[in-house]
Amino acid sequence: MSDTAPSRDAWPRAVLFDLLTALLDSWTVWNRAAGSETAGRAWRAEYLRRTYGCGAYVSYEQLVREAAEHVGLPASAPQALEAEWLTLPAWDGARELLQALRPHCKLAVVTNCSKALGHQAASLLGVEWDVVVTSEEAGFYKPDPRPYRMALDRLGISSANAAEVAEAAFVAGSGYDLFGTSALGLRTFWHNRVGLARPEGAPAPDCEAPTLAPALDWLRHFRTHA
């Protein structure tokens, strides 16, 4: 009999992440570009409404500009947002979580963004991503299932095979992701940093927390609480 106890770790095959709210604090940069937290939140809410409602991809930069105009912000606001894009800060614990997962799981980003800005933002985390999928590349915005499917398939996990999808996890930053991930059977941790209400009709996540701290334990024992 072996003297070594069996490992209790049960990592998923892959972890997919929302980028601009789950890992990066884009709220602060939007607010700064808008001139205040109140204006930034109104602008961001209008942008999200347009993004989640349009389905097929429309230029991310165009939606940002249209949302700014709708809430009465000057053209300088979206210009400032783009100018400060590479200053997007990581949430506390984001880089540490990714580095802890790197030896055990494949890592991917699924983000509602243009290809250029999405890949630039993903590079800020300092981790080697296995896959980065933007809404521009998928042709659709989340929560349409197609961006998630593209990421899974590129990771070598068949998005058409429910048993394989169940071996992957998603870390969301927005409650709207819950519509898309649940449609695929992709179990989800919601990093609800700013305490948003779950969108009406959205399924509950496996786990919800205001920080990323509980995510590592959830992922370490992922296959034991399936």
Side-chain angles (χ1 to χ4, degrees):
M1 180 182 295
S2 170
D3 292 330
T4 304
S7 172
R8 299 183 64 187
D9 291 350
W11 304 98
R13 284 175 58 188
V15 186
L16 292 72
F17 289 87
D18 170 71
L19 178 62
L20 298 175
T21 46
L23 293 175
L24 296 174
D25 175 14
S26 56
W27 294 93
T28 297
V29 178
W30 279 69
N31 294 347
R32 190 162 59 238
S36 72
E37 181 177 350
T38 300
R41 289 221 175 188
W43 177 23
R44 184 72 173 272
E46 177 60 22
Y47 154 77
L48 290 173
R49 185 188 70 78
R50 290 169 182 264
T51 300
Y52 293 120
C54 73
Y57 184 76
V58 175
S59 166
Y60 172 83
E61 292 84 353
Q62 176 184 331
L63 292 182
V64 170
R65 289 194 302 270
E66 290 176 351
E69 183 178 359
H70 183 85
V71 300
L73 288 174
S76 58
Q79 292 167 1
L81 177 63
E82 187 164 351
E84 294 194 35
W85 194 253
L86 292 180
T87 71
L88 288 165
W91 289 119
D92 294 345
R95 290 189 178 92
E96 293 81 359
L97 174 62
L98 293 170
Q99 292 301 330
L101 293 174
R102 180 71 273 180
H104 308 287
C105 316
K106 291 184 177 181
L107 301 177
V109 158
V110 188
T111 182
N112 275 352
C113 199
S114 65
K115 181 177 180 180
L117 294 181
H119 284 259
Q120 287 174 17
S123 71
L124 298 175
L125 276 305
V127 69
E128 183 179 350
W129 297 102
D130 294 287
V131 169
V132 174
V133 168
T134 66
S135 50
E136 180 177 9
E137 292 165 283
F140 288 84
Y141 280 103
K142 300 181 299 175
D144 187 283
R146 279 166 273 205
Y148 311 96
R149 285 191 186 125
M150 177 179 282
L152 288 167
D153 291 337
R154 287 184 176 179
L155 288 164
I157 297 172
S158 172
S159 62
N161 185 318
E164 289 196 26
V165 174
E167 295 178 347
F170 191 85
V171 177
S174 166
Y176 286 95
D177 269 311
L178 298 167
F179 291 107
T181 58
S182 65
L184 292 179
L186 191 57
R187 291 165 53 202
T188 302
F189 177 101
W190 182 15
H191 176 207
N192 188 6
R193 192 75 180 211
V194 296
L196 298 175
R198 181 157 30 114
E200 184 177 355
D206 267 37
C207 187
E208 178 181 341
T211 72
L212 286 166
L216 184 61
D217 190 62
W218 179 71
L219 291 164
R220 178 180 285 119
H221 302 293
F222 185 78
R223 299 199 200 197
T224 64
H225 46 61

